[in-house]
């Protein structure tokens, strides 16, 4: 995917957001938080570009595995910046969720160092985007967050695309529009979710994304499901479905057993 593709994809989302949120309806409070909006938009744009670059330099599976460090980065930042609590249940879900991703993707370490650094930077910037959306969702409507983000990202993406413009085919254009629509809906739902719960509790659920991606690949691209994919999916689903209070109860039992042994 090129910068041109990113620009076309964002253009489609921007058109949708115009109809949903005309610029005249943007609240003055939203404009007062322009620094946080700028941080969110920049993190989303440059994080995405870094991830796109990484897949041209390293195996896709390695890039996917590294980018799933984003929930860990996001959780740590939510604790340090937003002062959210970090429980044993959240740590458990982050570790085992990421383990499930590694089981599915594997990790070959067969690529250029620049690609791995780009994927790591992309994961970090995605974590920054998560935390900034959480901060904005406390005062802004999801539609306003996304609309202002498009207003910032689109001119930057247009300027970058001018240097390596490649006109997409009709088939590519159709896919880019579909990706833009999916991105718009996912960002609206993410902002809504962040307005209802702490980011540290929501981010471990992000690991389930790889299961949906695998299922879509199976349906639309005839990609097969390997044994490792089934095992990894089971780990992620189990991690997502187990209740926090059950994890906390198990951790307390383990603590008391160790204390008694001493």
């Amino acid at each position: 995917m090129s910068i041109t593709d990113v620009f076309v994809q964002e253009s489609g989302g921007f058109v949708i957001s115009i109809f949903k949120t005309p610029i005249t309806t943007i609240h003055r409070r939203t404009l007062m938080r322009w620094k946080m909006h700028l941080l969110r938009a920049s993190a989303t744009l440059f994080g995405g570009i870094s991830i796109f670059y990484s897949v041209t330099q390293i195996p896709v599976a390695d890039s996917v595995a590294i980018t799933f460090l984003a929930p860990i980065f996001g959780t740590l930042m939510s604790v340090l910046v937003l002062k959210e609590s970090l429980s044993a249940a959240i740590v458990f879900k982050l570790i085992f969720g990421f383990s499930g991703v590694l089981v599915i993707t594997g990790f070959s370490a067969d690529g250029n160092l620049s690609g791995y650094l780009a994927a790591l930077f992309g994961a970090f910037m995605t974590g920054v985007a998560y935390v900034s959306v959480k901060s904005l969702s406390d005062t802004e409507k999801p539609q306003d967050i996304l609309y202002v983000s498009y207003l910032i990202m689109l001119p930057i993406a247009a300027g970058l695309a001018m240097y390596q413009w490649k006109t997409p085919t009709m088939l590519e254009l159709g896919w880019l529009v579909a990706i833009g629509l999916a991105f718009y809906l996912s960002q609206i739902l993410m902002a809504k979710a962040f307005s209802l719960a702490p980011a540290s509790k929501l981010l471990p659920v992000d690991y389930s994304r790889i299961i949906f991606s695998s299922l879509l690949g199976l349906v639309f691209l005839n990609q097969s499901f390997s044994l490792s994919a089934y095992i990894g999916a089971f780990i992620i689903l189990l991690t997502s479905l187990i209740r926090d209070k059950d994890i906390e109860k198990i951790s307390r039992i383990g603590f008391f057993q160790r204390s008694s042994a001493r």
Side-chain angles (χ1 to χ4, degrees):
M1 182 176 284
S2 65
I3 300 297
T4 302
D5 297 334
V6 175
F7 170 69
V8 174
Q9 170 193 322
E10 290 179 356
S11 298
F14 180 62
V15 171
I16 298 172
S17 65
I18 288 177
F19 288 102
K20 293 290 292 183
T21 311
I23 194 168
T24 54
T25 65
I26 297 294
H27 198 279
R28 183 178 179 181
R29 179 185 59 244
T30 300
L31 301 179
M32 296 295 291
R33 302 197 65 187
W34 66 270
K35 291 182 180 179
M36 186 59 69
H37 282 288
L38 179 61
L39 177 63
R40 190 266 178 188
S42 301
T44 301
L45 178 61
F46 292 108
I49 292 174
S50 297
I51 294 171
F52 295 150
Y53 171 78
S54 72
V55 298
T56 67
Q57 303 295 315
I58 62 177
V60 174
D62 286 3
S63 177
V64 171
I66 292 174
T67 55
F68 270 98
L69 288 171
I72 296 177
F73 287 137
T75 299
L76 292 176
M77 283 184 279
S78 70
V79 172
L80 296 174
V81 179
L82 303 180
K83 308 304 180 183
E84 294 184 357
S85 60
L86 183 62
S87 64
I90 294 173
V91 174
F92 173 88
K93 289 188 175 186
L94 287 172
I95 294 175
F96 279 85
F98 185 66
S99 299
V101 171
L102 288 179
V103 170
I104 294 175
T105 65
F107 197 84
S108 66
D110 183 21
N112 296 328
L113 178 61
S114 62
Y116 289 102
L117 292 176
L120 188 62
F121 179 75
F124 176 76
M125 294 304 283
T126 302
V128 172
Y130 286 151
V131 174
S132 58
V133 170
K134 171 56 183 175
S135 175
L136 289 169
S137 67
D138 292 337
T139 58
E140 318 293 328
K141 295 187 297 184
Q143 293 86 349
D144 291 349
I145 296 174
L146 194 54
Y147 185 68
V148 175
S149 180
Y150 279 126
L151 286 176
I152 297 172
M153 288 193 298
L154 202 57
I156 299 175
L160 294 174
M162 288 175 58
Y163 291 99
Q164 49 176 308
W165 181 265
K166 179 183 176 183
T167 303
T169 64
M170 291 304 296
L171 178 60
E172 292 172 338
L173 183 61
W175 278 111
L176 289 172
V177 171
I179 293 172
L181 176 60
F183 178 80
Y184 176 85
L185 292 174
S186 67
Q187 294 297 301
I188 288 290
L189 294 173
M190 181 180 70
K192 182 63 177 177
F194 279 147
S195 70
L196 299 174
S200 56
K201 287 186 174 292
L202 294 174
L203 287 175
V205 182
D206 187 53
Y207 291 120
S208 63
R209 177 162 45 95
I210 196 171
I211 299 178
F212 295 115
S213 299
S214 300
L215 289 173
L216 289 172
L218 176 67
V219 174
F220 293 102
L221 302 177
N222 294 320
Q223 295 177 343
S224 59
F225 242 50
S226 63
L227 177 61
S228 61
Y230 282 110
I231 296 174
F234 175 77
I235 294 173
I236 293 172
L237 282 175
L238 183 63
T239 301
S240 300
L241 294 176
I242 190 171
R243 298 181 301 176
D244 288 5
K245 63 180 182 180
D246 291 334
I247 299 174
E248 298 286 353
K249 186 184 300 183
I250 293 172
S251 66
R252 284 197 296 270
I253 293 174
F255 173 77
F256 286 126
Q257 286 178 343
R258 287 193 300 269
S259 299
S260 299
R262 292 175 185 174

